Amino acid sequence: MEALRDVDPAQIGAHALLARLGAGGMGQVYLARSPGGRLVAVKVIRDEITGHPEALARFRREAETVRAVRSAYTANLIDASLAAAPYWLATEYVAGPTLGHAVAERGGLPADTCRRLFAALAEGLASVHAYGVTHRDLKPQNVVLGAQGPQLIDFGIARGVGETALTQDGQAPGTPGYSAPEVLLGAEAGAAADVFALGATLAYAATGRPPFGTGVPTTVSYRSVHEPVDVVGVEPGLAGLIEACVAKDPAVRPSLREVIERCGVRDALIDDPVYLGLGALGEAVPVHEMRTQGPGLVGYTPTEAAARVAPGRGRMPRTGVWVAVGVALAVVGAVAVWKLPLGGRGGQQGRSPAAQSPAGQVPAVRSPAAGEGGPGASASKAPAGPPTYIRQTEPNFDDYDPIHRTCARIRAGDGMVDFQTSVPRTMDDPQLKSGKVRIAFRVKNAVPDAPPYYVAVVVKPQHEVDENGRSTTVTDNRQLGFVAKAQDLYEGDEMEWKSLTYPDDFSMRLNGKTVKAPPLSQDPGGWTVVFRHAVSDTEHTTLVCDGFDSGPQKG
């Protein structure tokens, strides 16, 4: 996303422009706001090709395709102007990075995440095919990783059954490395060609490498026709499915239904912690005054948005919420979503790599008291009053393993809400290098009329400390840890992140003495981060156990 330039108009149709989202072969794409305040993506065809009949036909086809296809996996058409220049169309804006950008930043994705993404994209393509439309240009850059699941974009060369193919400069439609062999050899692009592109796209997602290597388009296309796809290092079952999808003969490729069945997905993609973490790579929506008199806008500055995310408990204006979320994710670290019960059972079900306990591991934290419940619980047990700083009443067995990224946990029951947490992950994180760690939490979905629900954050080093805050030789640390003041999960706007900084906001009560939190450098290695539901200063229960690695251990 880029700031608008002097040459950009202030408005397209009734839509006020906010920023540049990118550019394609046919035109520029802008982020804009509709008169009613809805965010939309506006694609405007370039002036130099407005007189090209084939380009106009392709643009009109894209508009009609988007208008016709109504799917959970595609952005709906909002508005369009196709009769006279400037030609443009506006669709729903889907916040999130493209798959291409996410993999370029983070590298290949885990096999389980790829399977969930594979199944979701196959379902999306099937919904498009149900309208008699083939996409014909599926690739990582045309998949947006939205909060509710992936979205297929750019239907510029999509076409319906029986329509005449449109090509550019005599080239086959699609993108080298993702175009099916039969299309490259001059045949029509049918549903099987989309399956090939799907397999190639997932090969890239799994490896972080172009599926048929790099080079000039003709070389890459030659490999697509004659050489195997690159799945080196991919888990065998996933590699086999990718290879089936990119079979040279379209007749032997699996159907999209078969792809979904072979993925064997048992839970939602949006509950996948890796997928959720990729959302942090998306860009914050710029907040600035709309231009009212054409070119000349000075773009927004990130520092302006960041100022809206200062730690604390004050209510944030709703207009700044999504900017704050985007900045918070970028600043705080990896985000995980944890399933917490609506009431009666307490506890957590980890959804991040840091929370996946080894098979057979016995949870080492006690179960919540009956009736304690989780966020959104009825006031069957009202808080005894706003807790100040929770105190230790029993040994704390929460312990984060930085090697396996696991932590003890307790299983949650049915009827759940999403509790989001954000902590840094590895010693390479700039926060950990600086010695200042931002930790945040919020409830993902609003719970109407929820009673106060206090959450206290605890940070525990590997070694116990003495009354002066110095590390001892005791590595089996059963102290509660350094604690920040409890905060009401539902205070302020429901989308607001509650943010804390270690060591500044943390201390410990030890033998009647307040001990300030020591620097991370005092005890390098695995640090445990615990989010606790605090009914009172002495009654508190672990909701989520996570952690981070601050550096190589001593000795």
Side-chain angles (χ1 to χ4, degrees):
M1 189 181 297
E2 299 177 0
L4 295 171
R5 302 176 184 175
D6 291 343
V7 296
D8 293 322
Q11 191 164 312
I12 295 291
H15 308 288
L17 302 190
L18 299 177
R20 286 184 164 216
L21 290 176
M26 287 196 297
Q28 180 69 43
V29 184
Y30 296 99
L31 176 66
R33 185 169 285 127
S34 73
R38 185 176 190 174
L39 291 176
V40 296
V42 179
K43 177 184 282 189
V44 183
I45 195 168
R46 289 189 285 127
D47 290 340
E48 57 266 35
I49 63 173
T50 56
H52 196 297
E54 187 175 279
L56 285 177
R58 183 179 289 112
F59 190 73
R60 290 192 175 104
R61 171 178 289 171
E62 178 176 11
E64 291 307 314
T65 299
V66 175
R67 190 192 307 274
V69 175
R70 311 291 289 186
S71 167
Y73 297 92
T74 60
N76 291 326
L77 184 71
I78 303 298
D79 197 2
S81 176
L82 306 174
Y87 302 96
W88 56 269
L89 62 87
T91 62
E92 293 176 305
Y93 172 65
V94 182
T98 66
L99 177 61
H101 174 70
V103 173
E105 289 290 317
R106 293 285 176 86
L109 307 179
D112 285 346
T113 302
C114 285
R115 284 191 177 87
R116 295 183 181 105
L117 183 60
F118 218 146
L121 289 175
E123 188 174 63
L125 280 176
S127 69
V128 171
H129 290 179
Y131 286 89
V133 172
T134 50
H135 189 286
R136 304 208 309 162
D137 197 21
L138 177 63
K139 56 186 176 182
Q141 291 75 19
N142 284 344
V143 175
V144 176
L145 305 180
Q148 301 304 315
Q151 297 277 303
L152 303 173
I153 62 171
D154 200 347
F155 284 81
I157 61 173
R159 67 186 185 91
V161 175
E163 290 183 340
T164 303
L166 293 175
T167 61
Q168 185 174 5
D169 300 328
Q171 298 177 0
T175 301
Y178 300 92
S179 292
E182 67 272 20
V183 176
L184 294 171
L185 294 174
E188 294 295 327
D194 277 352
V195 174
F196 181 95
L198 174 63
T201 296
L202 263 294
Y204 173 78
T207 66
R209 302 183 297 270
F212 293 96
T214 59
V216 298
T218 53
T219 299
V220 175
S221 295
Y222 177 88
R223 296 194 195 107
S224 299
V225 174
H226 299 287
E227 297 180 6
V229 67
D230 176 10
V231 287
V232 175
V234 178
E235 185 271 326
L238 177 61
L241 179 54
I242 290 172
E243 289 170 332
C245 289
V246 299
K248 307 305 181 186
D249 182 357
V252 301
R253 293 173 199 150
S255 67
L256 292 170
R257 180 176 180 179
E258 290 173 310
V259 171
I260 296 170
E261 290 175 350
R262 289 180 62 174
C263 287
V265 171
R266 295 291 180 268
D267 47 15
L269 175 63
I270 59 171
D271 284 335
D272 184 292
V274 175
Y275 183 85
L276 286 168
L278 296 176
L281 298 173
E283 298 179 274
V285 174
V287 174
H288 55 65
E289 295 298 320
M290 306 299 178
R291 288 192 294 171
T292 57
Q293 297 185 8
L297 171 71
V298 177
Y300 81 105
T301 57
T303 52
E304 209 175 313
R308 300 172 179 265
V309 203
R313 299 165 56 88
R315 186 176 182 88
M316 179 183 297
R318 186 174 295 272
T319 54
V321 165
W322 286 109
V323 174
V325 170
V327 174
L329 298 188
V331 171
V332 175
V335 175
V337 173
W338 311 79
K339 295 297 188 178
L340 300 183
L342 287 169
R345 295 188 182 181
Q348 56 137 337
Q349 182 176 8
R351 291 293 187 183
S352 76
Q356 295 165 359
S357 301
Q361 176 174 309
V362 178
V365 289
R366 70 176 179 87
S367 297
E372 182 172 325
S378 62
S380 58
K381 186 168 187 178
T388 51
Y389 289 89
I390 61 174
R391 292 181 283 144
Q392 182 155 5
T393 58
E394 61 183 22
N396 178 13
F397 292 99
D398 293 317
D399 190 25
Y400 176 71
D401 179 351
I403 297 176
H404 298 97
R405 295 188 179 182
T406 59
C407 197
R409 60 177 178 156
I410 40 185
R411 304 286 300 184
D414 297 327
M416 298 176 165
V417 296
D418 291 334
F419 178 61
Q420 282 188 318
T421 63
S422 184
V423 297
R425 186 60 66 209
T426 67
M427 64 184 77
D428 294 328
D429 191 292
Q431 292 185 73
L432 297 179
K433 291 181 178 180
S434 72
K436 298 284 188 179
V437 176
R438 296 285 298 279
I439 301 170
F441 63 90
R442 71 169 184 176
V443 64
K444 181 181 177 184
N445 300 307
V447 178
D449 302 320
Y453 189 91
Y454 296 102
V455 175
V457 179
V458 178
V459 176
K460 187 177 77 169
Q462 295 179 102
H463 295 78
E464 290 190 359
V465 299
D466 60 22
E467 294 178 7
N468 296 312
R470 293 189 296 261
S471 297
T472 68
T473 58
V474 179
T475 57
D476 186 22
N477 188 354
R478 293 296 176 254
Q479 291 176 332
L480 175 60
F482 296 92
V483 180
K485 187 174 182 180
Q487 300 186 56
D488 181 3
L489 183 63
Y490 296 112
E491 182 180 19
D493 197 292
E494 65 270 14
M495 298 299 296
E496 180 183 357
W497 285 87
K498 309 300 192 280
S499 180
L500 301 158
T501 301
Y502 183 91
D504 300 356
D505 299 325
F506 291 80
S507 62
M508 178 194 297
R509 291 291 294 175
L510 188 60
N511 298 329
K513 183 178 179 180
T514 299
V515 181
K516 290 186 177 181
L520 298 178
S521 58
Q522 177 174 297
D523 197 358
W527 287 65
T528 303
V529 179
V530 183
F531 298 81
R532 287 203 161 203
H533 174 204
V535 175
S536 68
D537 290 357
T538 57
E539 189 173 359
H540 39 85
T541 305
T542 294
L543 293 173
V544 170
C545 178
D546 205 337
F548 56 82
D549 185 0
S550 67
Q553 299 182 24
K554 294 180 179 179

